[in-house]
Amino acid sequence: METRLSPSLLAWLRCFEATARHGSFTRAAGELCITQGAVSQQVKQLEQWLARPLLIRTPRSLVLTPEGKWLGVVLREGFEAIEGTLSQLRRAPRSDGPTTLSCSPSFAMRWLTPRLGSFLSQHPEVGLRVYGEFHALDRTRMVHDGIEVAVRFDPGQYEDVQATQFLDEWLVPVASPAFLAQHPELQQPSDLNPACLLHDASPWDGGDEVAEWTHWFRAMGAERPDLSQGQRFNLSQLALSAALAGQGVAMGRAALVLDDIISGRLVPLFGRSVQSHASYHFVSQRYPSEAMRLIEAWLHQEAQQFRSLRAQSLPAPSA
């Protein structure tokens, strides 16, 4: 049988690999920017060419046959190797240029940039450009957008990129001293007026706008109030700025508020922190450059120092 990789066969294989990875014709079609019917037809043509089924189609799901699982793994590893090599080759002519770091905006402003001086002094040979972005990442998007390395705050669950947690997060409500002076009744969680809460409506890409407050009330063993009230912002930085201005109580992430707490500009409420479901991840493609490795090592170093300072300044979450 002729097994040369013709253009048609390559198209069939690409559609099957995406379908096997997503377990869905619809999601594969979205990634490949073609119709669901086209993906289904391409996979069917591959099965006919091989003279064996690769998928068992049920009304609710697609199930890989043993041969389909085998081929899916081989294709995924092969395409990753090809994309990684192409990414390296595209960077090679400008390897002396700056490395681009895509970073969650609030984390970039309040945690990363104040510390960047130490990285630049340790590695003056590494140019670094920081872009504030928080859209979710996968292998396809990183290759398409030319994203070399990223920092994201989210619950994790990355599947097809390299992602390492380098810093966990503690949640603690914060308010300005002036606001607390005007509201001496705030002694326990049930005293919080929902209208005074300041919400980060986009805690991470796809995150519910009241996810952090909901998690905090549950962890505190307190009844959750009506969270439809209160001001909403699309960045944690904006909610914290409103808290600093005395406009209400914001859900503080320790990485973003610790400096303000130490300086006295913000006050943590209720004497307890809560472990967040989300954390900070260093995300890269499969074949990181030397500059990326240096950035990752530096982030872990800074995170370790921050955890020590955080433990001295805030009550630890209960087990």
Side-chain angles (χ1 to χ4, degrees):
M1 177 186 291
E2 175 64 51
T3 57
R4 185 169 55 87
L5 291 176
S6 66
S8 295
L9 180 54
L10 283 171
W12 301 343
L13 292 172
R14 190 57 165 156
C15 285
F16 173 72
E17 188 277 334
T19 301
R21 177 159 38 87
H22 288 293
S24 164
F25 288 134
T26 302
R27 290 195 291 271
E31 176 182 312
L32 299 173
C33 299
I34 59 178
T35 66
Q36 175 185 346
V39 174
S40 177
Q41 184 62 30
Q42 298 267 36
V43 173
K44 185 176 181 180
Q45 288 176 308
L46 176 61
E47 291 177 311
Q48 291 173 345
W49 185 80
L50 291 171
R52 67 179 69 228
L54 300 173
L55 295 169
I56 299 173
R57 296 155 175 82
T58 71
R60 294 187 177 181
S61 64
L62 299 175
V63 180
L64 291 169
T65 65
E67 293 86 353
K69 290 181 181 179
W70 179 25
L71 181 58
V73 169
V74 171
L75 289 174
R76 181 171 182 175
E77 292 177 350
F79 285 134
E80 285 181 356
I82 292 170
E83 289 176 350
T85 300
L86 291 174
S87 180
Q88 290 288 344
L89 290 173
R90 288 183 65 195
R91 287 199 302 270
R94 48 189 176 89
S95 58
D96 293 334
T99 297
T100 300
L101 173 64
S102 168
C103 186
S104 304
S106 296
F107 186 76
M109 287 184 283
R110 300 185 71 93
W111 194 94
L112 183 69
T113 54
R115 292 170 168 80
L116 272 182
S118 69
F119 175 80
L120 297 176
S121 65
Q122 293 175 41
H123 305 288
E125 76 283 3
V126 177
L128 189 61
R129 294 182 299 191
V130 179
Y131 286 89
E133 304 170 321
F134 61 85
H135 56 267
L137 293 173
D138 56 26
R139 182 189 64 194
T140 301
R141 187 157 193 174
M142 291 189 75
V143 172
H144 180 270
D145 294 350
I147 296 174
E148 301 170 80
V149 65
V151 169
R152 287 293 185 271
F153 175 73
D154 55 36
Q157 301 175 338
Y158 292 92
E159 295 181 354
D160 55 3
V161 293
Q162 297 285 94
T164 305
Q165 177 185 310
F166 67 90
L167 180 62
D168 63 339
E169 186 57 284
W170 296 359
L171 300 177
V172 56
V174 292
S176 70
F179 181 86
L180 292 178
Q182 296 170 4
H183 298 273
E185 73 278 6
L186 292 179
Q187 301 298 317
Q188 55 189 356
S190 59
D191 297 328
L192 286 168
N193 182 346
C196 294
L197 300 185
L198 307 171
H199 300 273
D200 174 6
S202 301
W204 54 83
D205 192 6
D208 186 270
E209 63 181 21
V210 296
E212 291 183 315
W213 277 110
T214 297
H215 173 62
W216 182 83
F217 276 107
R218 184 182 299 116
M220 294 291 289
E223 181 178 354
R224 196 194 86 161
D226 177 10
L227 296 179
S228 64
Q229 303 179 58
Q231 298 182 60
R232 277 161 169 72
F233 307 86
N234 72 331
L235 292 175
S236 183
Q237 166 75 13
L238 298 177
L240 294 175
S241 294
L244 285 164
Q247 296 176 18
V249 180
M251 180 53 67
R253 300 173 195 147
L256 310 186
V257 300
L258 192 61
D259 289 344
D260 288 319
I261 288 174
I262 293 174
S263 69
R265 292 189 295 269
L266 288 174
V267 179
L269 277 65
F270 313 124
R272 177 183 165 190
S273 302
V274 168
Q275 188 80 42
S276 173
H277 284 318
S279 55
Y280 300 95
H281 298 86
F282 179 83
V283 186
S284 66
Q285 298 180 38
R286 295 290 183 180
Y287 303 93
S289 66
E290 180 60 25
M292 296 180 200
R293 295 189 187 94
L294 292 174
I295 294 168
E296 181 177 16
W298 173 77
L299 283 171
H300 281 279
Q301 171 187 314
E302 289 293 324
Q304 182 176 1
Q305 296 176 7
F306 175 80
R307 282 192 292 268
S308 298
L309 180 60
R310 180 181 65 183
Q312 298 170 17
S313 308
L314 289 175
S318 301

